[in-house]
C-alpha cells in the first residue's frame, strides 16, 4: 500500500531537477500512506514526473523502490495497491518465455513485465488485486491512469497551475494535487449538493471544480501533452477530450449480465462460494509483514476470520473496538466469535472523550467533505490494529454482494403494497408516518424488538414522498437532504449522475438496489472510509469479498440464496456456519455506530453551534442557513433525530475551515 502522484505539463520546459522536486513535494503530502520509502522520477523532454511514497508489504528490500522502470526501460510506474496473484502471473510470464531477469519479488515488477508482454488492459484483466496505477510509456509518450475493479484504491486527476506550469495532475489523495504550485480550484457547488444528499461526493466528481475521481474499473489515457484546460464536465467511459480518452477495462454491469446468462444451480451455490472465498482469503493472507483482521462479530467479518483461521498455522490476530455507551458496544459478540475460533483477539475500549478527539482530524484525513460518522470508530480500530500489524483483512463488500441492508428487503416489499395506490393516497400515508414523532413511535413499538423504529419510519415516510417507482423510492432511501433540497446557494438543479445499466439480470428490484450500491455507495463511502482511516495510520486493509472472481460468482447465484425470506446473506451464512455456531451470529444488524446525535445535544454542542452560526453561513455564501437552523433546533428539542443531516453540514463546514 502506498501513495502515488504526478503531473504532465501542457508545455514542456521545466528542468528535470524542478520536475523531480515538484513531484517529491506532492508525494510528501502523502507520507502517511507510505512511511517506508519515497521516490521521484521525471522525463524532462516530455515534461512528465511521477512521485511515490511506499508502505513496504511485499519485497521489503530496495528492489521494491518506486517509481520503477520496466526491464526494457519502456515503462515507468507509480503504483498503489497489491496484486495478490502476482506469483501466478510471474509463472505465466516464465512459461511464455516473457519473464525478464527478476530484480526482486515485488508485485510492481511483475506488473511491469506483464505490461511489456500482455499490454496494459491484458495485464489488468489477468490481475487479482486492488490498485491505482500511473504508467508512463516512454516510447509512445502516453500516460495511463488505471483504477481497480471496485474502487478500493483512490485516484484523482485534473488541472492545476498557470502559464508554463499549467499541468494535468493526479494522485492518490487531493492533498497531493493541492501541493502542486498554483493549485487554485474552487468548491464545486454541484458536488456539494450531491454530497449533502448522499453524505459523500460521488465519482466522478470531487469537491473541487475541475478535479475528478477516476471511476472504478476504468483506464484514462493521455497521449502526449494534455490540453491546457479540462472539460466542463467529467469524462464518462467511451468519451474523449483532446488527447484524453476514458474507457472501462472491467465492468460490473457486464458481470451481472454474464451471471444472468449462466446462472448457478442452487445446490452448487454454497460449495462454490465456500471454495472461492477460501481462495480469496488465502491469497490476501500473503504478506512479508505482520497481518491480522478486523472482527466485529457480524456475519461478514466473522466469515473472513473463520476462513483465515482455518488456513492458518497459528492464531490469527483479530481486532475490535468497544464503547462505553449502552447500545453501541458490539465487542462482546466479537469476543465470543474470537474465543470459538481461537484467534489472538484484542479489544480496544474507548471513552466518549477519546472518540470525540478524532473529530478535528477528519478534514485532513478525508481531504474532502465526508459524513459517514462510522469514520470515527473505523479510524480508532485501524489505529489499534496498526500497533500490532501492518495489514488487516476486513469484511467490507459483504452487504452489497449478499444483501445485507434493510432496504433490500423492505423497499421492494413496501412498494409492492403501496406502489399501486393513487399518488395522493400514497402521499397521505407518508404524511401520516411523519405526523407522529420518532419518540412516540419508539414508545409505541418498543416491545417489538426493533432498533430505533421511529427514526426508520420517518425515513420511510420521507422516502415515499415524491416516489413514483421503486427505483425512485431507493434513491430517496439513500438520500439524507432530499433531492432538490435547495440548500446549496447557486447550485442550480441537482441531477442524478448516470450509472451504466446491465442489459440483463437486473429485473429484480432488490438486485438493482444491490447493483447501484456496489457502483456508488461501496466505492465512494465504504471503501473511501476504510482507505483514508487506515492510511492515516499507515495500515493496509484488504477485502476478500471484492476479489472479482467472488463477485462474479455471487452474481451467478440465484437471488433467493442471498435474500431468503427475512434473512439476508443466506449463502454466506451457510459458509460461516461450517465454522461458527448460529447462536453466536444470529442477532439484529447493528452497524458500526457511535452516539453522535447525543453528543450534538451535549459535549459537541458548542462546536456545532459555532460552525452552524447563521452569520458564518451567510458570509461563506455556500449554504442557506434557514433549513439548517430548523433542523438544528428540532434536533436540540429531542423530538427529531437529524444527526445525519447535521453531520453532513458540520463535516463540510469543518473541511472548509481547515482548507483555508
Amino acid at each position: 500500500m502506498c501513495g502515488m502522484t504526478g503531473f504532465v505539463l501542457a508545455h514542456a520546459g521545466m528542468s528535470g531537477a524542478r520536475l523531480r522536486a515538484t513531484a517529491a513535494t506532492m508525494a510528501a503530502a502523502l507520507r502517511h500512506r507510505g512511511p517506508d520509502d519515497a521516490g521521484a522520477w521525471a522525463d524532462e523532454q516530455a515534461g512528465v514526473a511521477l512521485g511515490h511514497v511506499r508502505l513496504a508489504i511485499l519485497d521489503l528490500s530496495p528492489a521494491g523502490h518506486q517509481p520503477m522502470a520496466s526491464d526494457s526501460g519502456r515503462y515507468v510506474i507509480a503504483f498503489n495497491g497489491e496484486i495478490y496473484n502476482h506469483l501466478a502471473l510471474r509463472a505465466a510470464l516464465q512459461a511464455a518465455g516473457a519473464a525478464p531477469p527478476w530484480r526482486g519479488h515485488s508485485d510492481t515488477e511483475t506488473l511491469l513485465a506483464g505490461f511489456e508482454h500482455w499490454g496494459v488492459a491484458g495485464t489488468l484483466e489477468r490481475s487479482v488485486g486492488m490498485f491505482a496505477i500511473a504508467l508512463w510509456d516512454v516510447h509512445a509518450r502516453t500516460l495511463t491512469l488505471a483504477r481497480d475493479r471496485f474502487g478500493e484504491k483512490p485516484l484523482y486527476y485534473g488541472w492545476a497551475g498557470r502559464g508554463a506550469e499549467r499541468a494535468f495532475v493526479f494522485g492518490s489523495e487531493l492533498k497531493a494535487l493541492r501541493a502542486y504550485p498554483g493549485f487554485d480550484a474552487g468548491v464545486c457547488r454541484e458536488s456539494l449538493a450531491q454530497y449533502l444528499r448522499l453524505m459523500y461526493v460521488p465519482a466522478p466528481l470531487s469537491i473541487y471544480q475541475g478535479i475528478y475521481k477516476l471511476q472504478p474499473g476504468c483506464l484514462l489515457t493521455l497521449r502526449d501533452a494534455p490540453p491546457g484546460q479540462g472539460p466542463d464536465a467529467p469524462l464518462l467511459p467511451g468519451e474523449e477530450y483532446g488527447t484524453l480518452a476514458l474507457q472501462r477495462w472491467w465492468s460490473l454491469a457486464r458481470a451481472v449480465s454474464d451471471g444472468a446468462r449462466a446462472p448457478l444451480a442452487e445446490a452448487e451455490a454454497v460449495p462454490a462460494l465456500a471454495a472461492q472465498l477460501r481462495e480469496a482469503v488465502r491469497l490476501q493472507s500473503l504478506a512479508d509483514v505482520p497481518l491480522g483482521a478486523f472482527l466485529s462479530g457480524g456475519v461478514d467479518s466473522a466469515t473472513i476470520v473463520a476462513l483465515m483461521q482455518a488456513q492458518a498455522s497459528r492464531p490469527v490476530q483479530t481486532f475490535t473496538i468497544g464503547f462505553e455507551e449502552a447500545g453501541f458496544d458490539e465487542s462482546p459478540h466479537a469476543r465470543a466469535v474470537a474465543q470459538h475460533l481461537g484467534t489472538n483477539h484484542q479489544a480496544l475500549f474507548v471513552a466518549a472523550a477519546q472518540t470525540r478527539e478524532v473529530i478535528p482530524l477528519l478534514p485532513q484525513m478525508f481531504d474532502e467533505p465526508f459524513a459517514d460518522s462510522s469514520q470515527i470508530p473505523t479510524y480508532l480500530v485501524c489505529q489499534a490494529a496498526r500497533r500490532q500489524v501492518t495489514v488487516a483483512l476486513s469484511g467490507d463488500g459483504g452487504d452489497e454482494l449478499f444483501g445485507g441492508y434493510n432496504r433490500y428487503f423492505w423497499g421492494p416489499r413496501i412498494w409492492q403494497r403501496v406502489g399501486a395506490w393513487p399518488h395522493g393516497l400514497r402521499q397521505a400515508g407518508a404524511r401520516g408516518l411523519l405526523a407522529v414523532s420518532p419518540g412516540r413511535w419508539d414508545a409505541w413499538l418498543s416491545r417489538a424488538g426493533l432498533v430505533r423504529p421511529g427514526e426508520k419510519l420517518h425515513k420511510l415516510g420521507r422516502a415515499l414522498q415524491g416516489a413514483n417507482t421503486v427505483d425512485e423510492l431507493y434513491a430517496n432511501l439513500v438520500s439524507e437532504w432530499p433531492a432538490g433540497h435547495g440548500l446549496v446557494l447557486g447550485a442550480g438543479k441537482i441531477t442524478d449522475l448516470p450509472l451504466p445499466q446491465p442489459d440483463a439480470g437486473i429485473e429484480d428490484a432488490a438486485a438493482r438496489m444491490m447493483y447501484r450500491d456496489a457502483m456508488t455507495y461501496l466505492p465512494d463511502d465504504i471503501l473511501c472510509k476504510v482507505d483514508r482511516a487506515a492510511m492515516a495510520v499507515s495500515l493496509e486493509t484488504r477485502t476478500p469479498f471484492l476479489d472479482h472472481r467472488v463477485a462474479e460468482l455471487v452474481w451467478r447465484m440465484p437471488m433467493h440464496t442471498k435474500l431468503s425470506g427475512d434473512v439476508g446473506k443466506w449463502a454466506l451464512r451457510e459458509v460461516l456456519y461450517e465454522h461458527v455456531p448460529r447462536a453466536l451470529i444470529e442477532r439484529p444488524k447493528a452497524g458500526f455506530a457511535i452516539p453522535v446525535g447525543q453528543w450534538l445535544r451535549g459535549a459537541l454542542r458548542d462546536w456545532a453551534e459555532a460552525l452552524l452560526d447563521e452569520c458564518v453561513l451567510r458570509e461563506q455564501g455556500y449554504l442557506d442557513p434557514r433549513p439548517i437552523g430548523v433542523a438544528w433546533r428540532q434536533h436540540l428539542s429531542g423530538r427529531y433525530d437529524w444527526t445525519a443531516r447535521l453531520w453532513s453540514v458540520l463535516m463540510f463546514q469543518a473541511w472548509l475551515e481547515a482548507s483555508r
Side-chain angles (χ1 to χ4, degrees):
M1 196 67 64
C2 308
M4 49 80 82
T5 188
F7 60 93
V8 183
L9 292 171
H11 306 284
M14 192 182 288
S15 71
R18 177 78 187 284
L19 288 165
R20 285 188 292 274
T22 302
T25 298
M26 296 170 72
L30 303 173
R31 192 68 181 182
H32 54 287
R33 298 185 72 93
D36 298 329
D37 190 21
W41 171 92
D43 181 335
E44 183 173 346
Q45 184 178 8
V48 61
L50 301 177
H52 190 267
V53 292
R54 184 183 182 210
L55 177 63
I57 303 295
L58 295 175
D59 194 345
L60 310 187
S61 76
H65 176 80
Q66 293 187 54
M68 182 185 293
S70 64
D71 183 63
S72 71
R74 176 178 177 178
Y75 293 111
V76 181
I77 190 174
F79 163 58
N80 167 30
E82 298 290 344
I83 305 300
Y84 304 122
N85 68 330
H86 89 99
L87 294 178
L89 295 180
R90 286 196 173 201
L93 289 165
Q94 203 78 36
W102 300 112
R103 292 163 282 176
H105 63 274
S106 74
D107 50 355
T108 310
E109 190 179 3
T110 306
L111 276 177
L112 286 167
F115 296 151
E116 295 266 17
H117 181 61
W118 293 308
V120 175
T123 301
L124 297 183
E125 288 164 0
R126 290 170 170 82
S127 297
V128 179
M130 57 178 181
F131 48 82
I133 296 170
L135 182 74
W136 178 251
D137 185 332
V138 175
H139 297 172
R141 293 171 63 96
T142 297
L143 174 74
T144 299
L145 301 181
R147 195 172 178 204
D148 62 59
R149 294 170 176 89
F150 286 96
E152 294 180 67
K153 295 294 101 189
L155 184 49
Y156 293 85
Y157 68 92
W159 281 258
R162 298 185 181 92
E165 294 188 344
R166 185 68 174 169
F168 175 83
V169 294
F170 53 89
S172 297
E173 296 182 22
L174 286 169
K175 54 179 66 71
L177 278 64
R178 288 200 304 267
Y180 186 81
F183 181 92
D184 62 353
V187 171
C188 174
R189 292 178 188 259
E190 179 190 357
S191 299
L192 177 55
Q194 294 283 4
Y195 156 75
L196 289 167
R197 181 179 176 186
L198 298 170
M199 312 289 281
Y200 57 84
V201 179
L205 301 176
S206 85
I207 193 59
Y208 290 116
Q209 188 74 40
I211 305 295
Y212 306 116
K213 299 182 180 84
L214 183 62
Q215 295 109 306
C218 283
L219 288 171
L220 183 69
T221 55
L222 171 62
R223 299 188 182 281
D224 210 0
Q229 298 294 327
D232 293 333
L235 292 179
L236 298 177
E239 294 182 348
E240 297 184 5
Y241 178 83
T243 54
L244 283 171
L246 183 66
Q247 67 183 76
R248 285 199 179 277
W249 66 269
W250 185 84
S251 167
L252 178 60
R254 202 159 47 238
V256 172
S257 299
D258 291 346
R261 285 189 283 268
L264 275 178
E266 180 177 345
E268 301 176 83
V270 173
L273 177 62
Q276 194 65 72
L277 277 176
R278 275 196 301 271
E279 172 62 8
V281 169
R282 183 191 69 81
L283 275 181
Q284 296 196 25
S285 297
L286 300 176
D288 295 337
V289 293
L291 176 141
F294 301 134
L295 179 60
S296 69
V299 174
D300 300 338
S301 64
T303 302
I304 298 303
V305 170
L307 294 174
M308 286 180 74
Q309 191 61 71
Q311 301 177 81
S313 58
R314 58 185 179 182
V316 171
Q317 291 263 61
T318 55
F319 304 90
T320 193
I321 191 165
F323 301 99
E324 62 182 15
E325 285 88 354
F328 292 90
D329 185 14
E330 290 283 286
S331 61
H333 304 298
R335 187 186 312 115
V337 173
Q339 288 175 344
H340 179 81
L341 292 173
T343 72
N344 182 8
H345 187 64
Q346 296 185 40
L348 171 70
F349 287 88
V350 294
Q354 293 174 272
T355 308
R356 291 193 293 269
E357 288 172 0
V358 177
I359 293 174
L361 308 177
L362 298 176
Q364 173 72 7
M365 189 186 306
F366 284 87
D367 247 0
E368 62 181 352
F370 184 80
D372 182 340
S373 62
S374 65
Q375 62 201 133
I376 298 173
T378 299
Y379 170 78
L380 289 169
V381 76
C382 288
Q383 186 181 58
R386 186 62 178 94
R387 299 188 186 111
Q388 303 293 326
V389 301
T390 311
V391 177
L393 273 62
S394 83
D396 292 304
D399 286 316
E400 293 80 5
L401 279 176
F402 296 98
Y405 298 132
N406 286 332
R407 56 180 168 265
Y408 303 150
F409 294 97
W410 297 112
R413 289 183 185 180
I414 289 168
W415 196 256
Q416 282 180 348
R417 295 191 175 189
V418 306
W421 292 3
H423 180 77
L425 181 59
R426 197 162 54 243
Q427 298 311 298
R431 289 193 297 271
L433 291 174
L434 297 171
V436 179
S437 72
R440 183 64 61 84
W441 280 120
D442 288 346
W444 289 349
L445 300 173
S446 60
R447 295 183 180 179
L450 302 175
V451 180
R452 300 189 297 275
E455 179 186 335
K456 293 174 181 176
L457 286 171
H458 267 237
K459 187 174 182 67
L460 174 61
R462 295 192 298 270
L464 286 170
Q465 289 183 318
N468 293 304
T469 67
V470 68
D471 296 306
E472 290 178 359
L473 176 66
Y474 162 81
N476 292 343
L477 285 170
V478 298
S479 299
E480 279 304 329
W481 292 96
H485 51 64
L487 188 60
V488 180
L489 302 174
K493 183 176 176 5
I494 302 173
T495 57
D496 288 326
L497 296 170
L499 287 177
Q501 292 291 349
D503 56 17
I506 202 130
E507 292 78 11
D508 183 272
R512 288 199 300 277
M513 293 181 182
M514 292 163 65
Y515 167 76
R516 287 171 179 150
D517 278 344
M519 292 290 291
T520 55
Y521 180 66
L522 177 63
D524 294 333
D525 185 305
I526 300 298
L527 298 178
C528 171
K529 173 183 64 181
V530 175
D531 174 83
R532 303 307 192 280
M535 285 284 89
V537 295
S538 304
L539 176 74
E540 174 173 300
T541 52
R542 298 178 177 179
T543 52
F545 287 130
L546 298 184
D547 181 314
H548 70 281
R549 300 166 303 174
V550 173
E552 290 169 352
L553 173 70
V554 171
W555 276 103
R556 292 180 59 206
M557 292 163 50
M559 194 63 184
H560 64 266
T561 65
K562 291 168 254 187
L563 301 177
S564 178
D566 291 330
V567 176
K569 308 179 185 178
W570 179 84
L572 188 61
R573 291 173 188 270
E574 292 300 304
V575 173
L576 175 59
Y577 296 152
E578 291 293 317
H579 304 272
V580 176
R582 289 175 185 265
L584 292 184
I585 301 297
E586 296 290 355
R587 64 182 186 278
K589 183 180 178 68
F592 206 16
I594 53 174
V596 172
Q598 298 173 26
W599 295 347
L600 291 178
R601 298 185 185 103
L604 293 179
R605 180 167 177 171
D606 290 345
W607 168 78
E609 286 188 329
L611 291 174
L612 301 179
D613 180 84
E614 181 176 347
C615 294
V616 171
L617 292 170
R618 290 195 184 280
E619 182 180 353
Q620 292 167 342
Y622 289 109
L623 303 177
D624 184 346
R626 291 171 296 180
I628 296 171
V630 170
W632 179 236
R633 289 189 293 273
Q634 288 182 344
H635 185 80
L636 289 178
S637 75
R639 295 184 66 246
Y640 293 89
D641 185 352
W642 293 122
T643 301
R645 288 190 180 186
L646 292 168
W647 192 248
S648 68
V649 175
L650 289 165
M651 285 295 96
F652 171 69
Q653 291 296 100
W655 172 83
L656 192 64
E657 188 177 78
S659 62
R660 289 178 172 175

